[in-house]
Amino acid sequence: APSFRNGRALFSNLDGTWAVVDATGTVAPGLDQPDAEIFPFERDGLWGFADWTGRERISPQFTAARPFRNDRAPAAHGGSWGLIDPQGNWRLPPTCEALEPGEDGCWIARKNGAYGILLSNGSWLHEPAFQETGSWGPAAIAVRKKKWTLLDRATGKLVFPPVFDEIGPIGCQSAWARVDQHWGLLGLDSSLRLPFQYDFALPSAADPDLFVVHKKNAEGLVDAEELKPGELLRIPGRGLVGGGPVEVLAGQVLALVAVQVVQVRLRHG
């Protein structure tokens, strides 16, 4: 059982969150990080932050508050959310409709019905402009503006125009994308590594960079991080996918992706 420290104990809830309980059984809200130095509490309808000793560190002044992550915590003033630092200063003014945790200390923010990405320090990687955010990879995030595309996590720029029906697994250098019913492999350098001609591409259990691809009743393995634009897709023990050469566009410009999308739609539309 958890031990009490200065009259408080930290408990792990069934849903993976954390709670601090005092000797009277009063429960503070869940914590993302069990080693957080301060955590939110509510008094008279307002929220502030206290430390393990019960000492008030930020006086109750917010209409809602969430736990700290990387020295930033979501807090609400009225119905709008912003980010505060451990001293209670606003690092992002309360102008967001919602703030949800992303990965690596980032935040997903909603303003005027659109979603954007905040860095851990509260500055914008990309201001709200998306209808939806999807999976996160080491170097890119899937985002949707009617259609899906990739947002570069280093530059905050779109890697491709939003022309894809779905974004699949995202690696360090590449990502799978679907157009109509076919999957292709995109390079995060804006190249097209494999054209849109595969029925599916699934990560293997052995290696997250290895993918099982299927085309016309033939299967094989692709190392998505090693494949370079212009290479043929060679499958150990199977020759080439479909029994013949696989045409791979080797260009490095966005226009090639657009051309490939048009070709797929004309052929299968």
Side-chain angles (χ1 to χ4, degrees):
S3 58
F4 276 79
R5 173 182 169 189
N6 296 317
R8 285 172 168 75
L10 188 64
F11 288 81
S12 176
N13 298 317
L14 293 177
D15 62 0
T17 61
W18 295 82
V20 175
V21 179
D22 64 21
T24 68
T26 302
V27 179
L31 294 171
D32 282 4
Q33 303 169 359
D35 59 348
E37 294 185 2
I38 61 177
F39 52 88
F41 73 94
E42 183 267 346
R43 186 172 66 219
D44 298 329
L46 294 176
W47 290 81
F49 288 80
D51 61 22
W52 272 99
T53 69
R55 182 168 64 94
E56 185 178 294
R57 298 280 292 274
I58 301 174
S59 63
Q61 56 190 283
F62 310 110
T63 52
R66 298 288 183 267
F68 273 90
R69 299 170 69 241
N70 298 320
D71 288 333
R72 296 292 183 268
H77 178 72
S80 298
W81 288 83
L83 290 174
I84 61 171
D85 62 21
Q87 289 71 49
N89 302 312
W90 292 106
R91 293 301 180 179
L92 175 73
T95 57
C96 299
E97 297 156 8
L99 276 173
E100 298 294 336
E103 295 186 7
D104 301 325
C106 293
W107 302 89
I108 303 169
R110 189 178 78 233
K111 291 181 67 175
N112 300 319
Y115 291 89
I117 306 296
L118 283 163
L119 298 174
S120 58
N121 62 7
S123 62
W124 290 105
L125 175 65
H126 197 292
E127 295 199 11
F130 308 114
Q131 294 173 299
E132 189 178 355
T133 63
S135 56
W136 291 57
I141 306 166
V143 293
R144 184 170 70 89
K145 298 178 71 173
K146 294 187 178 179
K147 294 286 188 177
W148 288 92
T149 185
L150 293 162
L151 178 69
D152 190 307
R153 293 184 61 173
T155 66
K157 297 180 179 180
L158 298 184
V159 183
F160 299 95
V163 295
F164 307 108
D165 294 316
E166 185 178 352
I167 296 291
I170 304 172
C172 295
Q173 303 177 50
S174 62
W176 291 93
R178 179 175 62 83
V179 174
D180 293 334
Q181 302 303 315
H182 292 82
W183 290 85
L185 184 64
L186 307 174
L188 298 185
D189 56 358
S190 301
S191 66
L192 179 61
R193 297 192 174 191
L194 288 175
F196 298 97
Q197 58 184 359
Y198 302 100
D199 301 322
F200 62 75
L202 298 174
S204 71
D207 187 329
D209 290 334
L210 290 178
F211 288 82
V212 178
V213 295
H214 184 277
K215 178 191 176 186
K216 296 180 180 179
N217 299 319
E219 291 185 352
L221 288 174
V222 176
D223 189 328
E225 295 304 297
E226 292 298 325
L227 192 70
K228 300 297 188 297
E231 291 182 336
L232 294 179
L233 174 59
R234 297 192 176 277
I235 300 174
R238 294 286 189 97
L240 299 177
V241 169
V246 177
E247 180 183 356
V248 179
L249 301 180
Q252 298 285 334
V253 296
L254 298 178
L256 283 175
V257 176
V259 168
Q260 188 69 24
V261 171
V262 171
Q263 289 175 341
V264 170
R265 293 197 187 283
L266 288 175
R267 193 161 53 241
H268 301 282

